[in-house]
């Protein structure tokens, strides 16, 4: 089969599109013929290398997988050849595309326990845009953040995969969403996704703008998975007893903070890690029912893996890149 391979950790030059042995399923696994894979920042982190987290090389990344069951191991029941499925990448033996071989290939072997049936109304590209981003957002906003109808919610980094998922799920939950992004064009697209207010933080101080939009009372909920220099301004934008939700730190995990805001306003900082299979399944069903519509930036052939990584690194995206074998 053909695959997009990370030959060693490093820059774009370590990526190749080449032959790779076909996967052989273990007794509890199925082989999926991959139809579409959604890219994430995680794919870039795996390629560059993550401190304290060695990845065996060469390697195939790609955790957001949608496809068709091709064959099954001896102990698999309930799934048959031709079933349309989306995959929960968090397996008992490690994360697909991070700890075990992922889906940026024509075929991939995955545990049958991690399969989610795709509703007939959903296409492969849409399904592949959802597992990691929408599963993460679903858990963060519902299980952890308990976002309520009518609450004012600020989303930073709103134009990426998790960001657009937060905007849409927040709206579905009945929140009034302020979406912050780095250009007027991205703000326009976020408004089309359902954001009630947008802030171009390339031109405006997002913290001051959010404070103004809230009537100088502060937002109820702020979603910040960027960290870095955005951390303290986000604290400033929250109302007393407001909630700051975080699931990552793409701009730096060790920000300078200001503890005075925490105790004076009695702020709640809530971390959210990963997602459950049910979080993904709920999001998939909401998309099938027409309540969610993942933003897809572009669809590229698997052979264009270098260009796909370059686009992610340039942060020129709105929504997801989908790769097709």
């Amino acid at each position: 089969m053909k695959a997009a391979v990370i030959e060693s950790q490093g820059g774009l030059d370590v990526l190749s599109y080449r032959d790779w042995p076909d996967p052989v399923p273990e007794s509890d696994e199925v082989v999926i013929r991959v139809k579409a894979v959604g890219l994430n920042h995680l794919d870039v982190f795996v390629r560059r290398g993550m401190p304290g987290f060695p990845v065996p090389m060469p390697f195939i990344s790609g955790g957001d997988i949608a496809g068709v069951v091709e064959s099954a191991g001896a102990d698999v029941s309930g799934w048959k050849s031709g079933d349309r499925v989306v995959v929960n990448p968090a397996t008992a033996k490690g994360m697909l595309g991070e700890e075990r071989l992922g889906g940026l290939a024509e075929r991939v072997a995955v545990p049958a326990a991690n399969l989610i049936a795709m509703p007939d109304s959903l296409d492969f590209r849409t399904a592949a845009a959802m597992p990691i981003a929408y599963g993460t957002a679903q858990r963060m906003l519902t299980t952890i953040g308990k976002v309520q109808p009518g609450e004012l919610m600020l989303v930073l980094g709103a134009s990426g995969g998790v960001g657009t998922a937060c905007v849409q799920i927040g709206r579905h939950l009945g929140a009034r969403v302020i979406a912050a992004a780095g250009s007027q064009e991205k703000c326009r697209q976020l408004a089309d996704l359902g954001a009630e207010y947008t802030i171009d933080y390339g031109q405006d101080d997002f913290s001051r703008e959010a404070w103004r939009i809230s009537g100088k009372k502060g937002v109820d909920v702020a979603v910040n998975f960027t960290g870095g220099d955005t951390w303290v301004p986000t604290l400033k934008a929250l109302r007393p007893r407001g909630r700051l939700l975080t699931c990552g730190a793409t701009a730096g995990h060790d920000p300078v903070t200001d503890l005075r805001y925490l105790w004076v306003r009695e702020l709640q900082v809530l971390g959210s890690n990963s997602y459950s299979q049910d979080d993904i399944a709920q999001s998939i069903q909401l998309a099938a029912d027409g309540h969610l519509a993942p933003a897809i930036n572009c669809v590229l052939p698997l052979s264009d893996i270098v260009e796909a990584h370059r686009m992610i690194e340039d942060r020129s995206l709105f929504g997801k890149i989908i790769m097709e074998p």
Side-chain angles (χ1 to χ4, degrees), residues 156-161 163-164 180-182 186 189-190 201 295 315 317-320:
L156 298 185
S159 63
T164 54
K186 288 180 178 179
Q189 291 171 301
L190 287 163
Y201 54 64
R315 297 185 179 273
L317 301 176
F318 183 88
K320 301 279 286 187

Side-chain angles (χ1 to χ4, degrees), residues 206-227:
F206 77 83
S207 184
R208 290 180 181 274
E209 280 297 296
W211 189 256
R212 180 189 64 77
I213 291 168
S214 71
K216 298 185 178 181
K217 296 178 181 179
V219 301
D220 299 292
V221 182
V223 177
N224 182 321
F225 46 82
T226 54

Side-chain angles (χ1 to χ4, degrees), residues 121-205:
S121 60
L122 204 62
D123 64 90
F124 291 110
R125 292 175 177 179
T126 300
M130 299 194 69
I132 293 175
Y134 280 77
T136 297
Q138 183 80 13
R139 176 176 176 80
M140 181 165 52
L141 299 188
T142 59
T143 303
I144 304 299
K146 303 187 187 305
V147 173
Q148 300 298 309
E151 288 191 313
L152 186 61
M153 182 176 80
L154 169 66
V155 181
L156 298 185
S159 63
V162 175
T164 54
C166 285
V167 170
Q168 292 192 349
I169 292 173
R171 286 286 294 176
H172 178 69
L173 294 171
R176 301 163 54 218
V177 178
I178 306 171
S183 71
Q184 283 295 315
E185 175 59 21
K186 288 180 178 179
C187 286
R188 183 192 65 76
Q189 291 171 301
L190 287 163
D192 290 342
L193 283 184
E196 187 170 341
Y197 307 95
T198 61
I199 300 171
D200 177 1
Y201 54 64
Q203 296 185 5
D204 299 311
D205 182 324

Side-chain angles (χ1 to χ4, degrees), residues 165-295:
C166 285
V167 170
Q168 292 192 349
I169 292 173
R171 286 286 294 176
H172 178 69
L173 294 171
R176 301 163 54 218
V177 178
I178 306 171
S183 71
Q184 283 295 315
E185 175 59 21
K186 288 180 178 179
C187 286
R188 183 192 65 76
Q189 291 171 301
L190 287 163
D192 290 342
L193 283 184
E196 187 170 341
Y197 307 95
T198 61
I199 300 171
D200 177 1
Y201 54 64
Q203 296 185 5
D204 299 311
D205 182 324
F206 77 83
S207 184
R208 290 180 181 274
E209 280 297 296
W211 189 256
R212 180 189 64 77
I213 291 168
S214 71
K216 298 185 178 181
K217 296 178 181 179
V219 301
D220 299 292
V221 182
V223 177
N224 182 321
F225 46 82
T226 54
D229 292 341
T230 68
W231 190 252
V232 171
T234 304
L235 296 177
K236 292 179 179 179
L238 284 161
R239 66 165 174 80
R241 298 195 178 183
R243 311 189 299 287
L244 194 161
L245 309 180
T246 183
C247 64
T250 57
H253 67 274
D254 191 22
V256 175
T257 192
D258 191 329
L259 295 176
R260 293 173 297 179
Y261 288 97
L262 293 181
W263 79 69
V264 171
R265 294 190 189 177
E266 297 183 329
L267 301 180
Q268 302 173 57
V269 178
L270 303 173
S272 183
N273 186 35
S274 193
Y275 41 80
S276 69
Q277 186 146 322
D278 189 54
D279 291 325
I280 298 174
Q282 285 184 41
S283 298
I284 290 291
Q285 190 60 55
L286 286 170
D289 293 341
H291 299 299
L292 302 177

